[in-house]
């Protein structure tokens, strides 16, 4: 499963409908849920969280401010 693509699409829809506050809240909830999933190894969780955070930053941080 491609977490980056799925999360990015989901957040873009929310951003278009509800704005950045909703995107931030949903992102935080999804990350929190992923951290609680016992069937992933620590390395898998870290990789998933990186993908989720990258998708979140792509939506909420303007390209001119990305490092």
């Amino acid at each position: 499963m491609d977490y980056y693509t799925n999360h990015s699409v989901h957040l873009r829809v929310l951003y278009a409908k509800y704005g950045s506050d909703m995107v931030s809240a949903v992102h935080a909830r999804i990350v929190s849920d992923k951290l609680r999933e016992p069937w992933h190894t620590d390395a898998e969780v870290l990789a998933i969280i990186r993908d989720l955070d990258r998708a979140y930053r792509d939506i909420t941080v303007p390209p001119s401010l990305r490092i």
Side-chain angles (χ1 to χ4, degrees):
M1 176 182 296
D2 183 12
Y3 287 98
Y4 171 79
T5 301
N6 290 338
H7 195 55
S8 182
V9 168
H10 185 184
L11 293 181
R12 286 183 196 284
V13 169
L14 289 174
Y15 188 81
K17 287 183 178 180
Y18 305 108
S20 62
D21 288 344
M22 178 64 78
V23 168
S24 295
V26 169
H27 172 70
R29 177 62 189 259
I30 291 171
V31 167
S32 176
D33 289 347
K34 285 294 170 198
L35 290 172
R36 290 190 193 110
E37 291 178 351
W39 55 87
H40 292 297
T41 66
D42 289 346
E44 289 172 334
V45 169
L46 184 57
I48 291 167
I49 299 303
R50 282 187 188 139
D51 281 351
L52 296 177
D53 281 345
R54 186 168 54 102
Y56 174 73
R57 283 191 312 273
D58 286 351
I59 293 167
T60 59
V61 178
S64 61
L65 297 177
R66 291 184 199 149
I67 296 174

